[in-house]
Structures are given as C-alpha cells and as structure tokens.
Amino acid sequence: MKSFSYAQATKPADAVQLLGAQPQSKFIAGGTNLVDLMKYAVENPDRLVDISHLDLAKIEPANGGLRIGALARNSDVAANALVQKQFPLLAEALLAGASPQLRNMATMGGNLLQRTRCNYFYDVSQPCNKRTPGRDAGDAAFRPTGCGAIGGYNRIHAILGSSESCIATNPSDMNVALAALDAVVQVTGPNGSRSIPILEFHRLPGTTPQRDTVLEDNELITAIDLPTSAVGGKSHYLKVRDRASYAFALVSVAARLVTQNGMIREARIALGGVAHKPWRLPVVEQTMVGKPATEATFRTAAQALLAGAKPHEHNAFKIQLAENAIIRALQTVSS
Amino acid sequence: MAKKLLGDPINRVDGALKATGRARYSGDIKRPGMLHGVLVMSTVANGKITAIDTAATLKLPGVVNVMTHLNAPKLAGIDKNKASEIATDRVLQLFQDDLVHYNNQPIAMVLADTLEQATEGASLVRVTYQIQPVKQPLPTGKADLATPKQLPRIDDQVDTKRGDLAAGLGAATQRIEATYTTPTMNHNALEPHALLAFWEGDKLTMYNATQGISGCQKRVAELFGMPKENVRVITQFLGGGFGSKGTTFSHVLLTPMAAKLVGKPVRLVLKREQMFGMVGNRSATEQTLTLATGNDGKLLATAHHSLVQTSDFDDFAEPAGTITRMLYACSNLDTTHKFIRANIGTPTPMRAPGEAPGVFALESAIDEMAAQLKMDPLAFRLANYAEKDPNKDKPFSSKSLRECYRQGAERFGWSKRPAEPRSLKNGHYLRGMGMGTTVYPMNRAESSALVRLKPDGTLQVETGTQDLGTGTFTIMTQIAAEVFGVSPDQVTLSAGDSIYPASSVSGGSRCTSSTGSAVEQAAREVLKKTKQLAFKDSKSPLFNVAEADIVAEKGGRLQQKSNPKIGESITNLLKRNGNNPVEATVQSKQGDEKEKYSMNAFGAVFAEVEVDELLGEVRVTRLLGSFAAGRIVNLKTARSQVLGGMVWAVSMALHEKTAFDMRTNRVMNANLAEYHVPVNADIREIDGFFIEEADDIVNPAGVKGIGEIGVVGTVAAIANAIYHATGHRFRDLPITVDKVLSLASR
Ligand SMILES: Cc1cc2nc3c(=O)[nH]c(=O)nc-3n(C[C@H](O)[C@H](O)[C@H](O)COP(=O)(O)OP(=O)(O)OC[C@H]3O[C@@H](n4cnc5c(N)ncnc54)[C@H](O)[C@@H]3O)c2cc1C
Ligand code: SF4
C-alpha cells in the first residue's frame, strides 16, 4: 500500500472542498472496499478524506417515500422499521450481501460505488482496461492495457451489455434492489447538487470502462431517495451464489409484482451479476402488464430481458441460470 | 488402571489463551531491532529474470535492503536442494539463480523498519523477464505423461498388479468405467505462514509456523550447511497447516538468509495471495476407474489409473490410487500413477493426500456399480468386505468397519433411503442420501519424549512436538496422566521447541501415534522405575512386591493389585527416597508389527443433500460419520477433528478450486473472497461418533490417526447423495451451480 495522508470532513461542503484541494484524493466511508483496493495497489490515493463523520446517516420519510443518508450503514438500513415496512426488497438485498461485520461498516454511498470483483481488476500484474485505461508512456514497466478477463478466467463476468474493452459486472446486491425500486441518487459537488435516477447512475463499459458511474470525481453522494410506488404489491430478492452465504451473486433478481385477479398490473425486474450495471428493461416490464401471472408470461419476459446475452468461456451457464432465477423470483412474488 | 477406549472430553490446556488473544503465534513475536520482510513475487510462470530494478524501493524511507538472487547469501548446503525421498523435503526457490518456474514465485524480499514501508517498497520493485512458453496444469496440459519414481510414502508402490485383470473382466457380467476429475486446491490455513529469524553468532533461532519442528531444524541446518544443534526452532501455537506447513518451504530459508544479509532479526508473514503457489497445493487429478462384478455383486476386477501433476523442478506425486488397492476384496486389480509437469508450485501433502481425491473416485465408482447392479450401496460394500488387507496380504491389526456401517446406518436412518434416485422432494428441492466408506492408514514415525515424576507427585512431559491447533498439547498431558492415574491438570507439558526431545511431524495423522506413543512409553518407564523404588524400599508397604503386582491408582497412589489395601502415595515414596524426581526419555519407533499387520482406521459417512436443480444449488442438510480409530484419547478434540474433516469434504465436494488462467498459469482467485470454502450457513446438521476399538498391536498408545479420516469418504458420500437426489452423476469436482444447472437442463 502506498503511503497517504488523511483528513476528516465534518460538513458535506468541506468534504467536497477537501477533495478538490489535492489531486489523487478519495473519499473514504466504511472503507470496506477502498482499503482492500489500496492493499492490492489497485487504488493508490495520496489523500483520504474521511466522510464517515458527516451528518448524513439519517433515514427519514420524504415525499411519501424515504430518504436514506449516504452514510447510513447497510446493517442499520436493513434493520430500520420504515425500510422494512415500505421497502422490504431493499432490506432483503442488503442482508443478502457480505457478512454482518462488513454490513456494520459498509455505507449506502460506498455500496453504490463498490467496484467490480473481476479477478484481473484486482491483480495489478494483469492487464485491465478498467484499472489502467491508458498506456503511460513515461513508465517503461507499465503493462500494456487490455482486458485480462476476455480469453481468461471469466466465470463471474457479464453476459449482457459488455464491450470489447470490458466484461466486468457490478457486484452489489443493494444496487439491484435500488434499480427495481426506482431510486434516485442525490449528489453534491463544486457546481451544486443534482439528482440522478438509479438507472442512469451506473453505466455500461463501452470504450471507457474506467468509469463505473456518471458521478464526477469531485462529487459527493448525500442521499438515496426511494419514491413510493403507486401500488403496493409483493417483492423478493433472489440471490444465487456459490455458497449459502458470504459470496457475491452469480446471478440475482430483484422482483416486484402487483397482480389483481391473477393479472399483472405492474412489474419491476432488475438483474444482478450479469452486467456492468443492474440490468433492467422497462419496456419488457410494460409488455407484462395485463398478462396473466403465469410461468409462460414470466418465461417470455425472462427471455426478452436476456435477449442478446453473450457468453464467454466460463459463464455461459449464467444465461440459463438468469432465466430460471427470474421465473422463480416472479413465481415467488405472484404466489 | 484399565485404559479408557473413549477418553475424557476435557477442554484444551491452551483454550483460554487462545480465546483471550494471549496466545502468541509465530507472526506475533517481536525482537528489538527487527526488520519486516515482504516478498516480491514473479508475475510470469516460466523464464529468466533479466533485470530487477530496486532503485525506487531503496529510496523509500525505512527501506534497508532488497534481497534478490544478485545479493542473497550463498548457501553451503545448496546441493541438498533437490528432489528427495522424504515427502516433506522439497526443492526450494532460494534466490540462488535467476530462473522463474511458476507464477507467483518469490523472487525478492524487501526489508524495512515497518511492515508498511516494506509493503510499499515491494510494490515498487520492477522486474524484467525473458519469458518462455508455459507448461499448463491439468486439465489441459497433458502433452508429456511420465511415471513418478516414487510416491510420497516410500513404501507405496507406484504401480501395482494383482491377479489377472483381463481374466477378471472376462468373467464379469457387469462393468462400469468412468473418469473422475478433481481440481488443484490450496490449503489456506487461517494462520498465514510466518516466522521471525535471528542470528546470534553462528546460532540461528526461528519462531516458525511449522507442523514439524524437528524436520524444519534438520532441513534448515542442512541447507545452510551447519550443525543441527545451531538451529533452534520454536512453534508455540499454530493456526492450522493442513500439510502446507509440514514441508519447510522457501520462506523458511529466505528469512534467516535475509537476517544474515542485514545483520538484524527479520520477520516475514506471507500475504494470503502468496499462499497460492510457494507453499504447496493439492494436485489436480484425472482418475479412471473400472469395476466389474458377477451378477452376485462380487468384485471380479478393479482398475484405477491416476493422472496427477507436479512442478517442472520437483517430483511430488499425489498418490491417488493407493486406497483402491486395499479397501475391498478383489483378486484382480491394476493401479497406476502418472504425472505431468507444469509451471506451477510443487504440490505437497494436503489433508488426506491421495486418499481424498482417490477415495472420491473409488467410492463414487462403487456407488455407480451398486446402482447398475440395483443393489443397496451399503449391501454392495458389505458383499465385498475385505477380511484381510488384499494389497499387503496381511491381517488387519483391528478393523471395526462393519460396526461403523451398522451403527452409522442405524443412526442416520439409511433404511429409509428409497432405491430409486429422484424420488424424494422437498418444495423446490430434490432430496437424496448417499454414503461412503472412509479409511486412513496408521502412520507412525520416530518420536521421543521425556517424562519426569516430580517429588510433589506431579508430572512433567517434555517433547519437541507442535500443536497444529488440534489439541496435541492437551492430549499429551492426558496420555501421561492416565498411566499414573492422576488428573491431567497434574501434568505440565513443555513442547513447541527444538530444545526438547525430537518429535515427529504433525502430518499424515501420525502425531498421536508417534509422539503419543513416546509419551506413553516414557510414562510407563517412569512408573516402572517408581515401582522398582518401592520394591527395594524396606520402609514401603510395597517392599518386595513384584512390579507386575503393583498398580497406579487414582490420586497418585501405588497399591498392590492382589491386595489393594496395601499401598502408599507416590509422594511419600519419593520423600523417603531423597525427594529426587524419577525420569525417563524414550525414543519411540515402530517395531515389526508393520511387517505382520495392516493397520488402518476405518469409518462410514452418510450424507443427505437437497438440490435446487433450476438454480443449481446444493445444500448438505445432514452429515453423519462413524469412525473406528483405536483408542480415542479425548472425545472432544477427536470429535472436532472428524467434524472438521467432514467440513473439509463439503468444501472439496462443493466449493474449492484453484482457478488458473491457462495462458499464464496465474491463480486468479488467490484470496478468500473468491477461493470458496464453506461458511457456517453451508453446514447444517453434522455429527461424528466413535466406535470403541481396542488395538494393542498398532502402537503403544493404542491409537490410529483421526486428522484426515473425516475428509476421505465424505466427499463421495456427498456426490453420491447428489446422484440419489437428481439421478445425475457428477464426476468433476467441485460440484458447483454451473455444473448442476447444465446437467439438469439437459
Ligand atoms: C469480503 C467481502 C464480501 C462482500 N460481499 C458482498 C456481497 O455479497 N454483496 C454486496 O453487495 N457487497 C459485498 N461486499 C461489498 C460491500 O458491500 C462494500 O464493500 C461496501 O458496500 C462499500 O461501502 P463502504 O462504505 O465501506 O465504502 P468505501 O470502501 O469507504 O468506499 C467505496 C468507494 O466509494 C466512494 N465513496 C464512499 N462513500 C461515498 C460518498 N458518499 N460519495 C462519494 N463517494 C463515496 C469511496 O471513495 C470509494 O471509492 C463485500 C465486501 C467484502 C470485503
Ligand atoms: S473485465 Fe473489465 S475489469 Fe475485468 S479485466 Fe477486463 S477490463 Fe478489467
């Protein structure tokens, strides 16, 4: 790990200012992802700005829904009565992630920004377009860029929305639930504040896989807003993984469904573990409205969501798995 | 006193130290002026180092030196750094040349005042290589097959033939042939490999996390070309090793070399990712089994061909086929071992080396054969029960496998298993039951111990053994205490240091049979001397009472067997005799019993699983093992051993796999987030119990090994249960989501 300096921010505006004051600065919240990445020399900040003391950890009603502070801990959010009552899907997804110890440290903002678990991204001896986007001519020992995972060991990689530069996935469980809940991310920066709908927050890799999200380097996430859906309905977070707990999702599904007399009134389906961002296609959800809540409808929707899926050497199973998981999750919320 | 076959389940002598964090492991030890070492690892798998640029590293504050092949001390005993007959003596990477044999090989060590400085320094070392094409490991690298010169246990033949395989196959009416594959695995003990080394003149002291203090002392001394007496090895506590700390690997030499180079104590703790290469692994295997029977289900022919892998500079060969030679009665049998060479770190024994992958294949094949015969798998095993060892053609010193089958099946409820696969359901889950025979040979090595009876009646035991974390220190006190009929808290143990009598490695389940026997014999010797003292002491009530007629009884009393009222306390006896301690040192080793008997622990494991085929998930809902392993010294620590072994088997069956990038032979999941082992949620109902088994032949302690037997048959029991649940055979480990799904959707 490279030596770094440390500063603590007490107000959001100070945090943004501190970050801008020195290049190569990074916010640190729970540190559960950033510190690991620093140990592996994937992230090498010169300065850490500690935001964990900011007064941004509240969970409060807002506009009929909830506003969750960016520094609320994952475990506190999952245990919160308002969250459990109004948005059990979020609580379920948070509890499916990591371990109790990690959830006690991990924050909502940090979880939104947690980086891919791509094996090559984590190993600085390996080529990776996300970690090392351009050749640095000044350093002779700099490795040529490229994507190690393409043609390599890619069991956990993306089947949807990937590019020739990068086939990484977003590893978060929380993000998948947020996508199905139409969350809105509140951010503030040197140029003021803005609101970013969750589906626009994370991005596909394209030719610039170094950018996971549309957040600017100097912007601070302050809160996540969860709007109330027009109708209630049931929700479920289904996570398929290599062991019963404490493993990232191979595939996950956040599903919400409102049915009336066996007919679908409203549907939300977001997939995790398959793409560089939570995978949601509102057009597919719209086609489900008015159809019977049957396996046939669910299968058609699943196949539409997975249309264009492109497997690599070791992850072709994810296509079938995702289809099965979508159907199972929808059956669970329709029964 | 009559020996208890199932010993008291007392708590560990060091339990409180461990639970309160006061136990000091090798990586916790400090020394004034100590430097921290951090290794720099190769990032290519085959080639030559053409340049190492350490300029940026040496500029960092706190960095003292960087040891590379260019400045490393030369080793006087380097000619000993070659493939050896001793399984735990391997070829090491000691910075004596510029060659790179595998990815993630140590090539330099940065030495600095703090760990942080050394770590940062290591990240700045720039290495240039001349790269050669890589030789891939299994399953792809199968270009050049060779026959190993030997198997790790030197007595095991590499290939065997018994009877006439072709004739057996010809006479058979039923036959199966199948290939089973297992991946490369890494040990991943909780405690990383760690040591502190310092020199005082030409004397070297090392606090080292090793499973074999005396082997380490010998190996370090011979490679440095110095007398053994000049090397002191201390291992106060160990956080597991599973075989990877049984061999003295490169870092154990590199650290004292660095200490010599800088003239200061050096501490080195391996990072987790550095434990995927330089400290051994379990070889991948590809095993083809042929079984053939008559319609009565009696085995007429068995063939087991194993292909394993080793490094390109050493010869360790995983002995996958050895158990097949002896587990069932079958007169016509062929077994062979071949290996390939790959650019990987040398494999090493890993908990049940050979037995774990080999018995997975054998016990899966047995289940396949039973299914084809439409016989109950347990009945099929009983039909082929070996009354004597068919490989050695010798009787067993004891074998209680029938009783293990019977009691295990009864407690598990095996009779409720429907014959047809795919006939049990629980919601989304298919449910199945499977079983496997488990076995582990009794290994015993030379080991010594001193026992001292003190005038206050307490006992002192000294032996250079180490405690892997299994409870060795605790049960050594129990063994000595039982000889004298005193409570174990009347015994103090001095161990974990090469200043004590040399003791065997804690590996191959041989620690209690070897060192336990030494303690047992030394204690008996001391008791004998004490009885002789009474015999000769005219003031003793036991004056002139024959040694054979004196027994030690509870509370430290000697009394006459034929007339228990006659006797006195040991303290009184010693007081009258000058208050001197009575002591004996015994060097204990195997006699000719090995020539006359086959000695093994046996057991039966039963598994129940639930499989969600659509999601590819397998959950082991119940595991039960019954074991017969001679005398059990401590029921609590013994049960922990077999349960731990069974958890290992869940891991091997469902989770573990070292994932190589085949282009570079680099391990791409060298961390515990992606190298999966089970978590608590993966282990549901689990239990293990012991059958009482008295064996006076096997060794003085009357014990057989229990460290590995929990793993061996359990892997196949789980795979067989998955077959019973789904009707599909999974012959490629680990049985992960992707595999279950693809078979199910066929
Ligand atoms: C072993 C392990 C297993 C795990 N398993 C799972 C799992 O199964 N599922 C899952 O979803 N997750 C899992 N995680 C990931 C875990 O959820 C994340 O590490 C955690 O959510 C990150 O939150 P943090 O507050 O610790 O972030 P930090 O590590 O502090 O920060 C992460 C990044 O976000 C930035 N950042 C943090 N807060 C803000 C803010 N308010 N504004 C702007 N930038 C910010 C930081 O600069 C940094 O770049 C696992 C992690 C580990 C170590
Ligand atoms: S998939 Fe993306 S993150 Fe992984 S190696 Fe390729 S570019 Fe890097």
Side-chain angles (χ1 to χ4, degrees), chain A residues 201-252:
Chain A
F201 185 79
H202 296 97
R203 55 190 295 286
L204 292 178
T207 54
T208 50
Q210 67 269 30
R211 298 199 58 202
D212 296 348
T213 68
V214 299
L215 196 73
E216 297 299 333
D217 281 348
N218 50 12
E219 282 182 313
L220 174 78
I221 302 170
T222 54
I224 298 171
D225 286 349
L226 297 176
T228 339
S229 60
V231 221
K234 276 207 219 171
S235 68
H236 179 47
Y237 186 71
L238 174 68
K239 178 173 178 181
V240 184
R241 47 189 144 175
D242 277 320
R243 57 185 169 198
S245 174
Y246 202 23
F248 287 93
L250 290 166
V251 161
S252 70

Side-chain angles (χ1 to χ4, degrees), chain A residues 116 118 120-121 127-130 147-149 157 165-168:
Chain A
T116 182
C118 169
Y120 296 81
F121 175 74
C128 171
N129 291 322
K130 182 184 279 297
C147 170
H157 288 75
S165 322
C166 179
I167 59 170

Side-chain angles (χ1 to χ4, degrees), chain B residues 398-466:
Chain B
S398 60
K399 177 174 179 179
S400 314
L401 179 56
R402 267 207 189 85
E403 201 49 26
C404 294
Y405 284 147
R406 195 186 65 75
Q407 291 193 29
E410 191 179 305
R411 284 207 205 179
F412 182 78
W414 183 252
S415 61
K416 297 199 190 78
R417 174 185 181 271
E420 270 308 298
R422 265 191 110 81
S423 47
L424 296 174
K425 280 211 172 65
N426 175 26
H428 293 301
Y429 289 100
L430 295 165
R431 180 180 284 173
M433 300 184 207
M435 68 163 295
T437 307
T438 193
V439 55
Y440 201 79
M442 199 289 297
N443 294 317
R444 183 172 165 208
E446 254 184 62
S447 204
S448 40
L450 172 151
V451 171
R452 181 181 299 122
L453 173 62
K454 296 203 245 174
D456 64 0
T458 63
L459 292 163
Q460 166 102 30
V461 177
E462 291 183 0
T463 173
T465 190
Q466 51 290 321

Side-chain angles (χ1 to χ4, degrees), chain B residues 35 65 94 136 139 170 201 221 231 235 269 278 286 306 357 391 433 439 445 456 458 566 580 599 623 627 741:
Chain B
L35 298 186
N65 208 334
L94 301 177
Q136 294 179 331
V231 180
T235 310
V269 180
M278 61 180 283
E286 191 178 296
S306 303
N391 183 43
M433 300 184 207
V439 55
D456 64 0
T458 63
I566 297 190
N580 292 322
M599 300 178 284
L623 266 186
F627 305 91
L741 194 71

Side-chain angles (χ1 to χ4, degrees), chain A residues 1-3 40 117 119-120 123 125-126 139 141 143 148 150-153 155-156 238-248 250 317 320-321 324-325 328, chain B residues 43 116 119-120 126 273 428 612 614-615 617 619 654-655 659-661 663-664 666-669 671-674 676-679 681-682 736-738 741 745:
Chain A
M1 192 193 280
K2 199 176 86 173
S3 298
Y40 284 111
R117 308 303 292 198
N119 321 65
Y120 296 81
D123 184 341
S125 78
Q126 297 300 301
D139 184 350
R143 261 155 248 288
I150 296 177
Y153 179 67
R155 183 169 179 269
I156 63 172
L238 174 68
K239 178 173 178 181
V240 184
R241 47 189 144 175
D242 277 320
R243 57 185 169 198
S245 174
Y246 202 23
F248 287 93
L250 290 166
F317 73 97
Q320 184 67 56
L321 181 60
N324 293 356
R328 176 71 62 78
Chain B
T43 56
E116 290 76 9
T119 305
E120 184 173 0
R126 291 283 170 263
E273 61 267 30
H428 293 301
D612 186 332
L614 290 176
L615 301 183
E617 284 178 348
R619 300 287 179 246
L654 303 182
H655 302 292
F660 288 100
D661 182 321
R663 302 167 300 185
T664 57
R666 192 164 177 87
V667 176
M668 294 317 303
N669 61 344
N671 57 70
L672 292 182
E674 296 301 329
H676 290 142
V677 298
V679 294
D682 290 292
T736 41
V737 172
D738 42 341
L741 194 71
S745 49

Side-chain angles (χ1 to χ4, degrees), chain A residues 26-34 36 51 70 74 96-98 102 105-107 109-111 113-114 117 171-173 215 219-221 239 246-248:
Chain A
K26 280 207 85 85
F27 292 134
I28 181 163
T32 60
N33 190 214
L34 183 57
D36 274 2
I51 55 172
N74 284 178
L102 283 159
M105 291 301 292
T107 64
N111 199 329
L113 295 182
Q114 66 167 296
R117 308 303 292 198
S172 167
D173 292 302
L215 196 73
E219 282 182 313
L220 174 78
I221 302 170
K239 178 173 178 181
Y246 202 23
F248 287 93

Side-chain angles (χ1 to χ4, degrees), chain A residues 82-94 176-182 226-227 229 231-239 252-259 266-270 325-335:
Chain A
L82 294 173
V83 173
Q84 286 185 354
K85 185 155 171 284
Q86 282 182 268
F87 304 100
L89 182 62
L90 176 60
E92 214 183 337
L94 284 170
V176 186
L178 293 182
L181 292 169
D182 299 305
L226 297 176
S229 60
V231 221
K234 276 207 219 171
S235 68
H236 179 47
Y237 186 71
L238 174 68
K239 178 173 178 181
S252 70
V253 184
R256 283 206 295 159
L257 204 65
V258 182
T259 54
E266 200 182 323
R268 293 284 183 280
I269 310 167
I326 294 166
I327 296 169
R328 176 71 62 78
L330 289 170
Q331 284 172 333
T332 307
V333 290
S334 64
S335 62

